[in-house]
Amino acid sequence: MGEQQLGNLAFLFPGQGAQAVGMLADAHAAFPEIGTTFQEASDALGYDVWDLVVSGPAEQLSLTEKTQPIILTASVALYRAWCANGGARPSVVAGHSLGEFSALVAAESLAFDDAVKLVRQRGQAMQLAVPVGVGAMAAILGVPDEDVVAVCTRISDGAAHHVSAVNFNSPGQVVIAGHAAAVEEAIAALKEAGAKRAMPLPVSAPFHTPLMRPAGEVLEQALSEIAVDDPIVPVVSNVNAELQTDGTVIKRLLVEQIASPVLWTQCVQTMLDQGCDRFIECGPGKVLSGLVKRVSKAVSVASIEAPDALKGAIE
């Protein structure tokens, strides 16, 4: 761990969708921590995780049970490279959905080999909770959050026709999910309500809806056999956007998270309220960097996937 402790540095860890064949190739060549972390993941999971990243195919990489451990591994690998090169320890960490597990590894709340097996189970359970084709998700841009919620509430009709707002990503950017027909109906209604864009997402399950409760039960059982320690820095929970420092509470919230909306805008606001003005996105892609900038233009944001970017952010 870097010894320097800064009160204003927040680390953010991305979720599913950030994966790409060939990601982290430059970082792998530059930092030995990348290779050793991927080897640890391969040992834990029983297949060559780095080979899947390098060679693909993209369809394999996009299977939820493969995607989740791969993004977690990539994020933790970059965090280890950051620390090994003298990077400051963050004062707070947060992750988007799956990314919350990466954040907990960085905060020393979850052991890495436990986490990588856990998210594989989480991915399998999420895929099995709803048959392929039954559920759907869509991104809605340019409609106030409360209007999106109101439309979803109006359209939802019992257990077989459900749609809800599941990711509050930034002001004016909300993801909805549920049964495919209900999502389709909501897309049409939100376009009428003035949405700039309302587009289906290429995912195979309605994440963060009540339809995911069976997956929550699987995760709860898996977590009952794993230690979740008190983190060394606070972790912001997706479920309530509050700072968490108690391992027992974190364990409960990880189960709730599967079937609860991701309150990402509020998570970022919580970090801003804590005085954070420097944000590092630690993992593949730059999605979270863009979302932070939509919440506050006054902060500095850096993504450290590329070696030069990581070194530059440390300096």
Side-chain angles (χ1 to χ4, degrees), residues 10 12 268 271-272 276-281 292 299-302:
L12 311 176
V268 174
M271 291 180 270
L272 293 169
C276 293
D277 59 9
R278 298 197 319 149
F279 289 80
I280 301 282
E281 181 168 5
V292 169
V299 298
S300 87
V301 184

Side-chain angles (χ1 to χ4, degrees), residues 168 236 240-242 263-271 273 295:
F168 295 91
V236 186
N240 56 20
E242 292 172 5
L263 306 180
W264 188 251
T265 305
Q266 286 173 248
C267 288
V268 174
Q269 192 58 54
T270 295
M271 291 180 270
D273 292 345
V295 180

Side-chain angles (χ1 to χ4, degrees), residues 24-35 81 85 305-308 310-311:
L24 264 67
D26 292 344
H28 188 274
F31 306 117
E33 296 77 24
I34 309 295
N85 285 276
E305 183 182 354
D308 289 353
L310 188 146
K311 289 169 183 166

Side-chain angles (χ1 to χ4, degrees), residues 130-153:
V130 179
V132 173
V134 171
M137 298 181 79
I140 311 298
L141 274 62
V143 179
D145 294 2
E146 57 273 19
D147 293 1
V148 177
V149 172
V151 166
C152 290
T153 303

Side-chain angles (χ1 to χ4, degrees), residues 33-45 47-50 73 112:
E33 296 77 24
I34 309 295
T36 55
T37 305
F38 271 91
Q39 186 57 53
E40 278 178 53
S42 300
D43 293 344
L45 297 174
Y47 64 89
D48 190 332
V49 180
W50 181 247
T73 302
F112 174 61

